Amino acid sequence: MTTPPPPPAEELRLIDAELRSLDARRAQLLARRAWLVGVLWAANAPANAPSPSPGPWAQAPTQGRTPRSEASGPDVQNLLLLLGGLLLGIASLVFTVVAWGSLGIGGRALVLGALTTVVLAAPVPLLRRGLRATAESLAGLGMTLTVLDAYALYRVALPDAPVATYAAAACALLAALWAGYGRLFRELRGPWPAATAVAQLALPLWASDADGGTLELFVAALLACSALAAAAALSPLRPSVRWTAGVGACLEGALAVPCALWLSLSAHGAGAAVTAGLLLAFAALIAAAVAGRLRERAATTAPAMAAGLLAVAAAGGVVRWAVPWEWAVPGYLACALLLLAVTRTPLPAVLRGGAARASAVVAGAALLWALPLPVVALMRPLVPLEIPYKLPAAVVLAALTAVLAVAGPHEVWRARGRRAAPVLGAAVLYALPLVFELPRGAGLTVQVLVVAGALEAARRTVDGAWAALVVALVASGGVALSSGQTKVAPLVVLPVLIALFAAASWARRALAPAGLPAALVHAALLVVSVVVLRDGEGSTAGLLLLTVAAAAALIASRPWAGPAALPVEVTGAVVGGFALLLTVFDPPVLALALALAGVIAGATALRPGRRPVAHVATVLFVLAAWVRLAAWEVSAPEAYALPAALPVLVLGVLRRRRDASVSSWSAYAPGLAVALLPSLVAAWADPHGTRPLLLGAAALAVTVAGAVRRLQAPLVLGGAVLVLDALHELAPYLVQALGALPRWAPPAAAGLVLLLLGTTYERRLRDARRAREALRRMG
């Protein structure tokens, strides 16, 4: 059979691929040929003979290729000049520190002054000759020498001056000198950035020594320098100057802001709090000015947001000092919410967006601080937790609820806020009994009303229905736990909860998959509460809980259950399992509970799509029979095996009737094994003959039935059990006969058997094949 040719497009693609492969191979062979020709020519031609041209396809071999240079000439020159300048600067420093004392005052001044003047003037002829890199190197060395001159002046003329004050003055003077030097030699690029960097050190160094070096003055100096540097970075100066100023502004701000925050948080008086607030406000103004001047949107987000956060910190620090410590977080939140007013002003969009983001960050932190309140209210029935700031936390949650309900930068965020506001509102209302320490009855009433309100919101709304339903479920769990602290309260609260969830599920069928299981769980808790109130036992509670499981099966079987059928069935199964656990220590009651659970499972299996539950029902019935037999102290294995084997065999017969292709091993082997094997084990240990006789009769019947029906499983299993049972009966006689035989008889008998098998080997093989084929033809 011939293979059809591929489509034209596919064949064209294959041809093009082959041609490209051939072209690549041809290029490789031509390059190799050209190189070989060159090698032969060089070996045979005279020394002065020209070599042949390799052609366009030739490539030089890798071994003979000249190494590529990894650095250009200007790069090497700049590196050498930089190293030379550094070495000269180090030599000058060593000379100043070590050899300075060996010279007189005149010699010192003459050496350093002459050296500095010569080095600073050296760029004049170098720039005229176009040696800019050399001029840059010497200019850097000259500026380094001016630093050494300042140090030498301090050591000789002003040794008693304050170090920080002198350093500040020296930085200011050096900045002015280097700026003038850069203005004089406009071709040099180093003096201006160096002057910018040194100038930013003057004011902080002076502030560290002035008035005893207070932290407030130092922070103010840092912020002032940061503001000036930010203005320089945003001005139309040289790029190197703007970059240097921008880096300095960021570093000074990063050092000043944490210090200002520390001053604000540790302030113990009105003056200290206001001073720290003014410093933070100054930092906020700097960040806002930077955000307003930057043009790239990605670059303006961070400073705009930082401006908003610093403004909140500035105002919140003053509020924090004026209120008790537990109200500090609400104070910061109030400042953050007031910052939202900026979004309604005609300020630039970037500042309005930064204010909104900063307010959201502070609100999120306040929410995390207040969330333990509803959690403690929920978990208090289990763990007696306490929270020292209950009322402030409730105020924070209430304020966030109000803001989420009305505020938002645009309609999308307002819609999200309206969905989140009911959740926080429910949390506040649920925690009110804890906040105001209401009596137990009043507190349970408030919390039940929270559940009712959440269910009503879930019934009426569309977008936030599931959020409200989750709130109702969580709150109802807390209510159930709280009511369980007394014996009477559950009898009032739990029926109300059952009615609320059932009514909500009936009014809006979309809530039924969660509402109906919740109603069933509360019904189970009600049953347990009734038993506890009557001082009943756990086994009694287990039997009564099966009524809840039966109700779940009945509800799931109704057509109106719809998608809620499976969750309801799962809930009923869980409640039924818990009911069986409660009866496990009372065997008679456990047997009854297992039988009732089997009835419920059997009724469920009658529904379409629930047929596999019949296996569960069978297991429950068998377990019920076994537990009852154990309670009656019955030890015969047949009493346990036959009740389990009979339904399995019945199911196998029904399965074979519906589907004739099912093998007998799948249909009958499990039931037959359960019925015969335990009796076989007991028969081998039974000294009497009644059980082996009855077992042999049953095995014979099974074997005959398998032979008549031509079924493998009954024939094989029945025959095997019959043979083993017969061997058990013959075993004593065999042992007695073997004891009477001489010792050489067993080996001789074994040899004779092997000889007979060897003689009739082929015929035995044919008989085995025929038996196998006969079994294979059976069902």
Side-chain angles (χ1 to χ4, degrees):
M1 184 176 180
T2 59
T3 303
E10 181 66 18
E11 186 175 2
L12 180 60
R13 187 186 65 80
L14 294 174
I15 291 174
D16 290 341
E18 290 292 336
L19 289 174
R20 285 194 297 270
S21 178
L22 291 174
D23 289 340
R25 183 59 178 165
R26 182 175 182 275
Q28 293 176 359
L29 293 175
L30 286 174
R32 184 65 179 175
R33 179 184 180 280
W35 181 74
L36 292 173
V37 169
V39 170
L40 294 175
W41 182 273
N44 299 325
N48 57 355
S51 61
S53 177
W57 298 96
Q59 294 182 358
T62 305
Q63 287 183 342
R65 184 177 299 172
T66 303
R68 182 176 60 86
S69 62
E70 297 181 354
S72 62
D75 293 338
V76 175
Q77 180 187 12
N78 291 333
L79 180 60
L80 292 177
L81 292 174
L82 176 62
L83 291 176
L86 288 175
L87 291 176
L88 287 176
I90 293 172
S92 302
L93 180 62
V94 172
F95 169 76
T96 303
V97 174
V98 177
W100 185 262
S102 62
L103 298 176
I105 186 65
R108 299 169 186 173
L110 181 62
V111 170
L112 269 182
L115 182 60
T116 304
T117 303
V118 169
V119 174
L120 289 176
V124 176
L126 295 174
L127 291 174
R128 291 177 181 174
R129 297 185 180 184
L131 301 176
R132 182 175 176 177
T134 307
E136 289 280 1
S137 179
L138 290 178
L141 177 60
M143 290 186 291
T144 304
L145 289 176
T146 58
V147 176
L148 297 178
D149 289 338
Y151 171 72
L153 180 62
Y154 171 75
R155 290 290 303 273
V156 173
L158 302 169
D160 297 330
V163 176
T165 303
Y166 179 80
C171 287
L173 183 61
L174 289 175
L177 176 63
W178 292 352
Y181 187 68
R183 186 175 181 84
L184 181 62
F185 298 100
R186 297 180 182 273
E187 296 87 348
L188 298 177
R189 293 175 294 184
W192 282 104
T196 304
V198 172
Q200 297 180 67
L201 301 176
L203 193 56
L205 287 173
W206 170 81
S208 64
D209 241 3
D211 294 336
T214 61
L215 184 58
E216 290 85 352
L217 185 60
F218 179 69
V219 173
L222 283 175
L223 291 175
C225 287
S226 179
L228 294 175
L234 298 173
S235 63
L237 296 175
R238 295 184 179 186
S240 58
V241 175
R242 287 191 280 114
W243 277 103
T244 305
V247 171
C250 294
L251 292 177
E252 289 165 339
L255 179 61
V257 167
C259 295
L261 287 174
W262 168 254
L263 291 173
S264 178
L265 294 175
S266 61
H268 294 293
V274 172
T275 301
L278 291 176
L279 292 175
L280 290 171
F282 185 23
L285 288 176
I286 297 172
V290 171
R293 290 290 302 275
L294 290 176
R295 297 180 180 179
E296 296 182 4
R297 180 177 177 84
T300 57
T301 302
M305 185 174 172
L309 291 174
L310 289 171
V312 172
V318 178
V319 175
R320 184 205 63 80
W321 172 83
V323 298
W325 69 269
E326 63 269 15
W327 288 93
V329 174
Y332 281 102
L333 178 62
C335 297
L337 298 181
L338 290 176
L339 186 64
L340 288 176
V342 175
T343 60
R344 307 294 183 182
T345 63
L347 287 175
V350 60
L351 295 180
R352 287 186 275 117
R357 292 185 180 89
S359 180
V361 169
V362 177
L367 177 61
L368 292 177
W369 177 80
L371 272 183
L373 176 63
V375 174
V376 168
L378 283 170
M379 301 302 296
R380 198 174 186 185
L382 296 178
V383 182
L385 300 175
E386 292 292 338
I387 181 170
Y389 51 91
K390 294 182 289 188
L391 183 58
V395 171
V396 167
L397 292 176
L400 291 177
T401 302
V403 171
L404 288 174
V406 299
H410 46 75
E411 186 58 33
V412 176
W413 283 99
R414 280 193 289 271
R416 294 176 180 175
R418 286 193 293 269
R419 288 196 294 269
V423 177
L424 287 181
V428 175
L429 293 176
Y430 189 88
L432 285 182
L434 175 63
V435 174
F436 295 106
E437 298 181 355
L438 298 178
R440 187 179 303 278
L444 287 175
T445 302
V446 172
Q447 292 171 346
V448 170
L449 290 176
V450 171
V451 177
L455 287 175
E456 183 64 18
R459 188 179 69 84
R460 292 181 177 274
T461 59
V462 178
D463 293 339
W466 281 105
L469 182 59
V470 170
V471 170
L473 293 172
V474 174
S476 67
V479 171
L481 291 175
S482 299
S483 65
Q485 293 181 325
T486 61
K487 290 186 176 181
V488 181
L491 303 182
V492 179
V493 173
L494 291 175
V496 175
L497 294 177
I498 295 170
L500 288 174
F501 280 102
S505 302
W506 183 261
R508 186 175 181 182
R509 298 299 173 85
L511 303 179
L516 289 178
L520 290 172
V521 170
H522 291 306
L525 294 176
L526 178 61
V527 169
V528 175
S529 301
V530 171
V531 174
V532 171
L533 181 64
R534 299 294 298 259
D535 295 328
E537 298 180 353
S539 57
T540 305
L543 285 178
L544 293 177
L545 280 177
L546 289 176
T547 59
V548 179
L554 180 62
I555 293 172
S557 65
R558 299 297 89 192
W560 46 263
L566 181 60
V568 168
E569 288 175 343
V570 172
T571 305
V574 173
V575 172
F578 184 70
L580 295 178
L581 288 177
L582 291 177
T583 62
V584 73
F585 295 107
D586 193 344
V589 178
L590 176 60
L592 177 59
L594 288 169
L596 294 175
V599 172
I600 298 172
T604 303
L606 297 177
R607 293 172 47 209
R610 298 293 187 267
R611 302 303 183 199
V613 184
H615 301 291
V616 179
T618 302
V619 172
L620 290 173
F621 283 129
V622 171
L623 289 176
W626 286 359
V627 172
R628 172 50 63 186
L629 291 172
W632 287 338
E633 298 182 356
V634 175
S635 59
E638 291 80 8
Y640 296 89
L642 293 179
L646 184 60
V648 177
L649 288 173
V650 171
L651 290 176
V653 170
L654 296 176
R655 186 180 178 189
R656 285 271 297 181
R657 286 183 179 179
R658 287 197 307 266
D659 186 3
S661 62
V662 176
S663 68
S664 62
W665 290 101
S666 299
Y668 305 128
L672 292 175
V674 173
L676 298 176
L677 294 182
S679 298
L680 178 62
V681 174
W684 273 82
D686 193 348
H688 306 289
T690 304
R691 178 179 280 113
L693 180 61
L694 295 176
L695 176 62
L700 178 61
V702 171
T703 305
V704 172
V708 172
R709 292 286 185 176
R710 297 180 179 274
L711 299 175
Q712 289 182 9
L715 181 61
V716 174
L717 289 176
V721 171
L722 184 60
V723 170
L724 292 175
D725 186 63
L727 287 177
H728 168 264
E729 295 302 316
L730 292 176
Y733 303 103
L734 292 176
V735 171
Q736 184 178 1
L738 290 175
L741 291 175
R743 293 187 177 182
W744 54 265
L752 182 60
V753 169
L754 291 178
L755 287 175
L756 291 174
L757 288 177
T759 305
T760 60
Y761 178 72
E762 294 294 335
R763 184 160 57 87
R764 301 301 177 191
L765 284 180
R766 287 196 302 270
D767 294 341
R769 292 193 190 99
R770 290 171 185 170
R772 185 180 61 188
E773 293 298 329
L775 283 175
R776 185 178 298 173
R777 287 193 297 269
M778 293 183 179

